[in-house]
Amino acid sequence: MQIIVLGAPGSGKGTQGALLADRLGVPKIATGDLLRAAVRDRTSLGVEARSFMDRGLLVPDEIILGLIEEVLRSPEAQDGVIMDGFPRTLAQAEAVEGLLADRGSRIDRVLLIDVPEDELVKRMLGRARAEGRSDDTPETIRKRFAVYGEQTAPLIRYYEERGLLTTIVGLGTVREVADRVNEALGR
Ligand code: AMP
């Protein structure tokens, strides 16, 4: 089962992706987590990625494509994976498709966790206080929303046209949203 969880920053895609991965018994792979680990470990990829992340910008596709290739080719990803935080651009979407096609696989479903923007801002500011993420300042939050609208939101249409998109109402408790996700997947 190859599932993409799509959503704006603060939509809860990470939380819902993790719950779904547990239920399906497949790994959840988040490029944001991999990048933060690289930043922490001060790898050359991490050092390069950090300057973009701290400004609320997307890390360039050249860097992300290598990362995606590595994770999708890893043995634990062979029986399916929940993709959280990627693809985020059309180039990444095409790369994911190509990598899956190479092994005779394809994306089964794209879940869009849909949350109104005022609620997203409220959640992100709360998370900034709770987790102290360096990219959760008011300015970067604004920037990340703009970047989402410009570079990632076009994927909604892209997957809609391919008949793969299911929109999940992302308001309510974690449990309520998880129930909607499970229902959408017929489980
Ligand atoms: P996230 O944890 O998914 O919100 O990602 C945090 C930050 O990591 C983003 O604001 C981007 O700077 C970077 N990032 C994560 N995933 C990607 C991706 N697929 N493409 C480009 N940048 C990414």
Side-chain angles (χ1 to χ4, degrees), residues 15 44 70 86 93 100 150 167 179 182:
T15 305
S44 56
E70 200 176 309
F86 78 99
L100 292 179
E150 284 159 23
T167 301
D179 285 346
N182 294 333

Side-chain angles (χ1 to χ4, degrees), residues 41-61:
D41 296 345
R42 298 205 169 87
T43 65
S44 56
L45 186 147
V47 170
E48 205 179 341
R50 178 168 190 170
S51 64
F52 296 96
M53 294 167 78
D54 279 352
R55 283 181 288 156
L57 301 173
L58 290 189
V59 174
D61 282 336

Side-chain angles (χ1 to χ4, degrees), residues 13 31-32 35-36 53 57-59 64 85-86 88 92 133 135 144:
K13 63 181 161 48
T31 41
L35 290 169
R36 277 185 289 278
M53 294 167 78
L57 301 173
L58 290 189
V59 174
I64 297 292
F86 78 99
R88 250 173 159 107
Q92 292 180 22
R133 262 175 61 164
D135 60 349
R144 287 167 69 204

